[in-house]
Amino acid sequence: MNHELEVSKFTTRQFGYDYRRELAAWLVQLKPEVFVTLNFNRETTVQGGWKTLKEFHARLDRKFLGTDWSTRGFERSDFIFFPENIQTNFHYHGLGERNNPNNQREV
């Protein structure tokens, strides 16, 4: 029996459990203000979709925080996106919240 392989399996499985538990705890604390469906209307790869999500997030934060959004890391919005129908009609559903509401512009 390969002991290293068994330890690796346990560690990976444990990481998965820990990750799910932490994600669930974060989702419970999240108070979403924004709900989004991002549809590409053309064939897109997962990598292309991820790039588009990053650009979309940057545009939202520019709208929320102003032109200096990229220097205000702790004030940026928090989002989570879930991919759906990757093989057929690839799109994302997401929800998020704006941070630091006292320092934000109205949209």
Side-chain angles (χ1 to χ4, degrees), residues 2 5 7 15-17 31 34 36 40 45 54 57-59 65 71-72 75-76 80 89 94 97 100-101 106:
N2 185 342
L5 181 61
V7 170
F15 173 79
Y17 293 142
K31 294 178 179 33
V34 181
V36 179
F40 302 103
T45 64
K54 288 173 59 175
H57 187 205
R59 288 180 188 194
L65 299 171
T71 62
R72 299 166 67 181
E75 298 175 58
R76 290 197 67 191
I80 185 163
N89 177 28
E97 67 179 348
N100 195 4
E106 287 299 313

Side-chain angles (χ1 to χ4, degrees), residues 2 24-25 27 33 37 43 50 58 62-63 74 79-80 91:
N2 185 342
L27 286 172
E33 303 170 288
T37 297
E43 201 165 311
W50 181 248
R62 180 183 173 96
K63 190 71 166 169
F74 289 109
F79 275 87
I80 185 163
H91 60 280

Side-chain angles (χ1 to χ4, degrees), residues 18 28 32 34-35 39 47 62 73-74 76 81 83 93:
D18 292 344
V28 167
V34 181
F35 298 89
N39 191 347
Q47 292 81 7
R62 180 183 173 96
F74 289 109
R76 290 197 67 191
F81 287 93
H93 295 285

Side-chain angles (χ1 to χ4, degrees), residues 9-80:
K9 280 183 185 177
F10 173 76
T11 304
T12 303
R13 185 176 299 135
Q14 187 62 47
F15 173 79
Y17 293 142
D18 292 344
Y19 181 79
R20 276 186 239 127
R21 185 181 65 242
E22 292 298 320
L23 180 60
W26 180 72
L27 286 172
V28 167
Q29 294 175 4
L30 188 67
K31 294 178 179 33
E33 303 170 288
V34 181
F35 298 89
V36 179
T37 297
L38 186 62
N39 191 347
F40 302 103
N41 293 327
R42 63 183 169 282
E43 201 165 311
T44 304
T45 64
V46 173
Q47 292 81 7
W50 181 248
K51 182 180 177 200
T52 303
L53 279 178
K54 288 173 59 175
E55 291 169 359
F56 178 73
H57 187 205
R59 288 180 188 194
L60 283 177
D61 280 342
R62 180 183 173 96
K63 190 71 166 169
F64 293 155
L65 299 171
T67 56
D68 64 340
W69 65 270
S70 62
T71 62
R72 299 166 67 181
F74 289 109
E75 298 175 58
R76 290 197 67 191
S77 56
D78 290 325
F79 275 87
I80 185 163

